[in-house]
Amino acid sequence: MQGKILVVGSSGQIGTELVEELRKEYGSENVIASDIREGQAEQDGPFEILDALDKNRLEEIIRKHHVEDVYLLAALLSATAEKNPEFAWELNMNSLFNVLNLAKEGLIKKVFWPSSIAVFGPTTPRQNTPQFTVMEPSTVYGISKQAGERWCEYYHKKFGVDVRSIRYPGLIGYKSLPGGGTTDYAVDIFHQAILSKNYTCFLSENTTLPMMYMEDAIKATINIMKADSDKIKIRSSYNIAGISFSPKEISEEISNYFSDFKINYVPDYRQQIADSWPQSIDDSHARNDWGWRAGYDLSALCRTMLTNLERNLLNEDKA
Ligand code: AKB
């Protein structure tokens, strides 16, 4: 039987949708949402204010709710981290240590911690990037994720901590907004297509990056946590792949719905980050080990995003 679950960082882009899905699957009362600020999640089930850097408070919440599994989502993403490197390092690393140490002490049964394609860098092969390859990340975020992966594997090997992780590509969903990533344009473009039929992109037109529809990412997250422990052969983090596209390709797909949609390109500091990342990912280990498969291609993603976002934005207008 699944014990209680704690999601740390429940108000963020992934947290919002993950809590919703976990509550559908395991019951609202069994999924405790927590964040440094209130978000959507506190409305439909238990919610606790938690600063992921506060280990005592984390322990108090785990004991109070008899939590077994923790999903740690609190982090500064690539673009924001470049603006505040020291805090990014502190948050991304120490929040992980807090959770890993409580798991080592036997207070947590299973840990989910997200890594990212940002662990790769300019010296990594960019096409079909292998699971095991050169990793020399050039961003603070990437360095913190790579170090985090090493620590996850270390805690597993040395202390038997059951930690599981996937390297998320850019995530695209209509229910929540991303905050501070290099791939955020791929969400923003849909909002602007509906609201103004016009989008200024901060990446250049042919910048291809690995992306994924949020439903697929949530499915991967829940499934890796459900898998039998002996199926999880990689305890650093798994490559997972969805769709690879450039701003030009996604804008062409959007133009099928809005023929007057216009995009122009004004690359900023995020271009350099994107240029250091892979263009496509080899996810054969995740497929073979725990049966991962993505479901959405580019046209299904665009159709789903536009239909749902248009309805949501029009409803907001009426309210
Ligand atoms: C970012 O752009 O920083 C994130 C990521 C790829 O991890 N979306």
Side-chain angles (χ1 to χ4, degrees), residues 100-101 103-105 151 153-162:
L100 289 177
N101 283 327
K104 176 184 154 193
E105 290 161 27
W151 281 112
E153 192 182 276
Y154 182 87
Y155 269 69
H156 176 73
K157 285 200 170 136
K158 191 109 182 165
F159 310 117
V161 168
D162 189 352

mmCIF file of all heavy atoms in Angstrom, residues 100-101 103-105 151 153-162:
data_model
loop_
_atom_site.group_PDB
_atom_site.id
_atom_site.type_symbol
_atom_site.label_atom_id
_atom_site.label_comp_id
_atom_site.label_asym_id
_atom_site.label_seq_id
_atom_site.Cartn_x
_atom_site.Cartn_y
_atom_site.Cartn_z
ATOM 1 N N LEU A 100 17.895 13.840 1.507
ATOM 2 C CA LEU A 100 18.712 12.618 1.504
ATOM 3 C C LEU A 100 19.108 12.216 2.925
ATOM 4 O O LEU A 100 19.107 11.032 3.265
ATOM 5 C CB LEU A 100 19.972 12.816 0.649
ATOM 6 C CG LEU A 100 19.773 12.888 -0.874
ATOM 7 C CD1 LEU A 100 21.102 13.160 -1.580
ATOM 8 C CD2 LEU A 100 19.112 11.623 -1.437
ATOM 9 N N ASN A 101 19.425 13.202 3.759
ATOM 10 C CA ASN A 101 19.845 12.857 5.129
ATOM 11 C C ASN A 101 18.687 12.297 5.950
ATOM 12 O O ASN A 101 18.874 11.366 6.732
ATOM 13 C CB ASN A 101 20.491 14.066 5.807
ATOM 14 C CG ASN A 101 21.920 14.264 5.303
ATOM 15 O OD1 ASN A 101 22.618 13.283 4.987
ATOM 16 N ND2 ASN A 101 22.362 15.510 5.197
ATOM 17 N N ALA A 103 16.268 10.622 4.687
ATOM 18 C CA ALA A 103 16.077 9.263 4.145
ATOM 19 C C ALA A 103 17.135 8.330 4.727
ATOM 20 O O ALA A 103 16.840 7.191 5.113
ATOM 21 C CB ALA A 103 16.154 9.294 2.620
ATOM 22 N N LYS A 104 18.357 8.820 4.834
ATOM 23 C CA LYS A 104 19.452 8.017 5.407
ATOM 24 C C LYS A 104 19.141 7.666 6.868
ATOM 25 O O LYS A 104 19.419 6.551 7.332
ATOM 26 C CB LYS A 104 20.737 8.853 5.321
ATOM 27 C CG LYS A 104 21.945 8.242 5.944
ATOM 28 C CD LYS A 104 23.102 9.245 5.866
ATOM 29 C CE LYS A 104 24.106 8.982 6.972
ATOM 30 N NZ LYS A 104 25.041 10.101 7.113
ATOM 31 N N GLU A 105 18.495 8.618 7.577
ATOM 32 C CA GLU A 105 18.136 8.363 8.987
ATOM 33 C C GLU A 105 16.911 7.450 9.113
ATOM 34 O O GLU A 105 16.469 7.141 10.215
ATOM 35 C CB GLU A 105 17.859 9.705 9.698
ATOM 36 C CG GLU A 105 19.116 10.542 9.911
ATOM 37 C CD GLU A 105 18.815 12.030 10.176
ATOM 38 O OE1 GLU A 105 17.717 12.348 10.693
ATOM 39 O OE2 GLU A 105 19.674 12.876 9.843
ATOM 40 N N TRP A 151 25.492 12.936 -5.807
ATOM 41 C CA TRP A 151 25.127 12.703 -4.408
ATOM 42 C C TRP A 151 24.016 11.662 -4.288
ATOM 43 O O TRP A 151 24.030 10.844 -3.365
ATOM 44 C CB TRP A 151 24.710 14.014 -3.728
ATOM 45 C CG TRP A 151 25.894 14.843 -3.326
ATOM 46 C CD1 TRP A 151 26.280 16.040 -3.850
ATOM 47 C CD2 TRP A 151 26.865 14.517 -2.319
ATOM 48 N NE1 TRP A 151 27.428 16.487 -3.236
ATOM 49 C CE2 TRP A 151 27.813 15.576 -2.293
ATOM 50 C CE3 TRP A 151 27.041 13.448 -1.442
ATOM 51 C CZ2 TRP A 151 28.902 15.581 -1.416
ATOM 52 C CZ3 TRP A 151 28.120 13.454 -0.563
ATOM 53 C CH2 TRP A 151 29.035 14.514 -0.559
ATOM 54 N N GLU A 153 23.444 9.124 -6.279
ATOM 55 C CA GLU A 153 24.042 7.807 -6.480
ATOM 56 C C GLU A 153 24.862 7.394 -5.251
ATOM 57 O O GLU A 153 24.815 6.247 -4.800
ATOM 58 C CB GLU A 153 24.928 7.832 -7.735
ATOM 59 C CG GLU A 153 25.356 6.457 -8.169
ATOM 60 C CD GLU A 153 26.261 6.521 -9.390
ATOM 61 O OE1 GLU A 153 25.737 6.597 -10.514
ATOM 62 O OE2 GLU A 153 27.497 6.507 -9.215
ATOM 63 N N TYR A 154 25.575 8.360 -4.690
ATOM 64 C CA TYR A 154 26.412 8.087 -3.514
ATOM 65 C C TYR A 154 25.546 7.645 -2.324
ATOM 66 O O TYR A 154 25.840 6.656 -1.655
ATOM 67 C CB TYR A 154 27.189 9.363 -3.163
ATOM 68 C CG TYR A 154 28.130 9.226 -2.000
ATOM 69 C CD1 TYR A 154 29.439 8.780 -2.195
ATOM 70 C CD2 TYR A 154 27.726 9.553 -0.701
ATOM 71 C CE1 TYR A 154 30.312 8.657 -1.123
ATOM 72 C CE2 TYR A 154 28.595 9.441 0.369
ATOM 73 C CZ TYR A 154 29.887 8.992 0.154
ATOM 74 O OH TYR A 154 30.744 8.872 1.220
ATOM 75 N N TYR A 155 24.458 8.365 -2.063
ATOM 76 C CA TYR A 155 23.582 8.017 -0.932
ATOM 77 C C TYR A 155 22.917 6.660 -1.150
ATOM 78 O O TYR A 155 22.642 5.937 -0.195
ATOM 79 C CB TYR A 155 22.517 9.102 -0.703
ATOM 80 C CG TYR A 155 22.970 10.162 0.283
ATOM 81 C CD1 TYR A 155 23.982 11.058 -0.049
ATOM 82 C CD2 TYR A 155 22.405 10.254 1.554
ATOM 83 C CE1 TYR A 155 24.415 12.016 0.855
ATOM 84 C CE2 TYR A 155 22.830 11.215 2.463
ATOM 85 C CZ TYR A 155 23.835 12.094 2.110
ATOM 86 O OH TYR A 155 24.257 13.041 3.017
ATOM 87 N N HIS A 156 22.669 6.338 -2.411
ATOM 88 C CA HIS A 156 22.077 5.028 -2.694
ATOM 89 C C HIS A 156 23.100 3.922 -2.407
ATOM 90 O O HIS A 156 22.805 2.956 -1.697
ATOM 91 C CB HIS A 156 21.590 4.940 -4.141
ATOM 92 C CG HIS A 156 21.060 3.582 -4.483
ATOM 93 N ND1 HIS A 156 19.853 3.121 -4.016
ATOM 94 C CD2 HIS A 156 21.606 2.567 -5.205
ATOM 95 C CE1 HIS A 156 19.670 1.875 -4.431
ATOM 96 N NE2 HIS A 156 20.714 1.514 -5.156
ATOM 97 N N LYS A 157 24.284 4.112 -2.981
ATOM 98 C CA LYS A 157 25.316 3.053 -2.851
ATOM 99 C C LYS A 157 25.807 2.912 -1.423
ATOM 100 O O LYS A 157 25.998 1.817 -0.919
ATOM 101 C CB LYS A 157 26.507 3.373 -3.762
ATOM 102 C CG LYS A 157 26.202 3.105 -5.223
ATOM 103 C CD LYS A 157 27.486 2.945 -6.030
ATOM 104 C CE LYS A 157 27.184 2.444 -7.431
ATOM 105 N NZ LYS A 157 27.953 3.176 -8.436
ATOM 106 N N LYS A 158 26.047 4.047 -0.780
ATOM 107 C CA LYS A 158 26.685 4.031 0.534
ATOM 108 C C LYS A 158 25.693 3.739 1.662
ATOM 109 O O LYS A 158 25.998 3.008 2.596
ATOM 110 C CB LYS A 158 27.334 5.409 0.734
ATOM 111 C CG LYS A 158 28.237 5.511 1.894
ATOM 112 C CD LYS A 158 29.689 5.612 1.458
ATOM 113 C CE LYS A 158 30.573 5.670 2.674
ATOM 114 N NZ LYS A 158 31.941 5.422 2.366
ATOM 115 N N PHE A 159 24.485 4.324 1.551
ATOM 116 C CA PHE A 159 23.539 4.219 2.672
ATOM 117 C C PHE A 159 22.241 3.496 2.301
ATOM 118 O O PHE A 159 21.320 3.434 3.113
ATOM 119 C CB PHE A 159 23.190 5.613 3.217
ATOM 120 C CG PHE A 159 24.391 6.477 3.505
ATOM 121 C CD1 PHE A 159 24.605 7.661 2.805
ATOM 122 C CD2 PHE A 159 25.329 6.103 4.468
ATOM 123 C CE1 PHE A 159 25.714 8.459 3.064
ATOM 124 C CE2 PHE A 159 26.444 6.903 4.731
ATOM 125 C CZ PHE A 159 26.634 8.078 4.029
ATOM 126 N N GLY A 160 22.134 3.041 1.056
ATOM 127 C CA GLY A 160 20.925 2.319 0.640
ATOM 128 C C GLY A 160 19.693 3.189 0.475
ATOM 129 O O GLY A 160 18.560 2.694 0.495
ATOM 130 N N VAL A 161 19.893 4.510 0.305
ATOM 131 C CA VAL A 161 18.727 5.400 0.135
ATOM 132 C C VAL A 161 18.053 5.097 -1.211
ATOM 133 O O VAL A 161 18.714 5.031 -2.244
ATOM 134 C CB VAL A 161 19.166 6.893 0.213
ATOM 135 C CG1 VAL A 161 18.051 7.816 -0.237
ATOM 136 C CG2 VAL A 161 19.622 7.231 1.626
ATOM 137 N N ASP A 162 16.727 4.918 -1.182
ATOM 138 C CA ASP A 162 15.976 4.624 -2.407
ATOM 139 C C ASP A 162 15.602 5.945 -3.085
ATOM 140 O O ASP A 162 14.515 6.481 -2.904
ATOM 141 C CB ASP A 162 14.715 3.807 -2.069
ATOM 142 C CG ASP A 162 14.021 3.304 -3.331
ATOM 143 O OD1 ASP A 162 14.428 3.705 -4.444
ATOM 144 O OD2 ASP A 162 13.067 2.509 -3.196
#
